[in-house]
Amino acid sequence: MTIALIVINAIVYLFLQPKSGIDFSGNSLKQDALFHYGAIPYELTNPGQHCDLNAGGCGKTVSDGGIPTLLTVFTSMFTHAGLLHLGGNMLFLWIFGNNVEDSMGPVRFLIFYLLGGIAALALQTAIDPNSTTPTLGASGAIAGVLGGYILIYPRARVLTLIFLIIFFTFIEIPAYFFLFIWFAQQAVFGAIDLTNPNGGGGGVAYFAHVGGFAFGLLAIKLFATRRSAAYGQPKYPVY
């Protein structure tokens, strides 16, 4: 299932999601895709309202692009803003997803993954219910995977590439330390966004990451049913 999710995300971005360009009406194809397939908190908290950058705002007469608002909760998880956005998310899913899937099986893992994405969007929407910025990407769901991983494999270690000015080296870092630093970073940056009226997150939905991670921590024991006896301290590269 981990591999299937990676393939689906790649196919959606490479072949189904419109890329940058201009249509015959002079509208940006990429912006249309982000607003139609991304989940917009304002739309979720204001039923019947739709937002579109090309339409100049939100309203009942604005087109939803044929995508019902509730469906964007799921389409947003498979829509990415760029190749780096996609690549970074899929790298994390590949590194941590396989082991979490092993603990519960493919079907339960898919449900766990999707619920993590929903929890991520729920917290992001609760923090800023009037935001008209599309929330998109698999990072919220993947954050749920990370939250589960840190509890079921606390002794695991990851082989991490560290840059020292012009040199680099590999060191082994305990997974719980690596993921704790990641989570703390999301929480701090999210708090900075709240105190900065002009926004300082560079378009990153930090509270979505926090929501997904919290879900993983709280729900993993309900989903994980097995753990490989051969699993000791695996080493996976993190770049």
Side-chain angles (χ1 to χ4, degrees):
M1 185 59 67
T2 298
I3 295 175
L5 287 170
I6 292 173
V7 171
I8 291 172
N9 274 278
I11 289 175
V12 169
Y13 178 78
L14 294 174
F15 302 107
L16 302 180
Q17 180 182 326
K19 305 300 185 295
S20 297
I22 303 298
D23 64 15
F24 291 109
S25 301
N27 297 323
S28 168
L29 295 175
K30 184 175 182 180
Q31 292 296 338
D32 280 346
L34 298 186
F35 272 83
H36 293 326
Y37 295 98
I40 301 176
Y42 182 83
E43 291 184 351
L44 294 171
T45 57
N46 294 271
Q49 297 282 326
H50 301 290
C51 303
D52 194 316
L53 182 64
N54 294 317
C58 307
K60 291 184 178 295
T61 60
V62 175
S63 171
D64 62 1
I67 308 296
T69 298
L70 289 180
L71 188 58
T72 63
V73 172
F74 298 98
T75 59
S76 63
M77 298 184 204
F78 298 92
T79 306
H80 289 83
L83 195 57
L84 288 178
H85 186 205
L86 171 69
N89 280 342
M90 294 305 100
L91 177 62
F92 267 71
L93 180 56
W94 170 251
I95 292 170
F96 297 101
N98 284 312
N99 296 124
V100 176
E101 180 181 348
D102 287 345
S103 74
M104 61 184 68
V107 175
R108 294 170 71 91
F109 177 71
L110 177 60
I111 296 172
F112 179 80
Y113 179 90
L114 294 176
L115 289 178
I118 293 173
L121 178 60
L123 182 59
Q124 186 69 29
T125 300
I127 294 296
D128 192 359
N130 293 316
S131 173
T132 58
T133 301
T135 297
L136 64 155
S139 54
I142 295 171
V145 174
L146 302 185
Y149 186 98
I150 199 173
L151 282 188
I152 58 178
Y153 301 121
R155 295 186 297 115
R157 303 176 72 86
V158 292
L159 189 62
T160 308
L161 179 63
I162 302 295
F163 283 95
L164 302 172
I165 309 178
I166 62 174
F167 302 100
F168 67 89
T169 186
F170 289 94
I171 63 173
E172 290 185 3
I173 297 178
Y176 69 84
F177 179 76
F178 178 86
L179 295 178
F180 174 78
I181 294 298
W182 177 87
F183 177 78
Q185 181 187 57
Q186 308 311 304
V188 170
F189 286 171
I192 292 174
D193 272 1
L194 288 179
T195 59
N196 184 356
N198 295 320
V204 179
Y206 291 112
F207 281 105
H209 299 168
V210 173
F213 194 87
F215 168 82
L217 288 173
L218 296 173
I220 186 62
K221 291 185 178 180
L222 297 176
F223 285 84
T225 58
R226 60 179 183 267
R227 176 177 173 180
S228 173
Y231 189 94
Q233 296 184 352
K235 303 173 180 63
Y236 295 103
V238 176
Y239 300 100

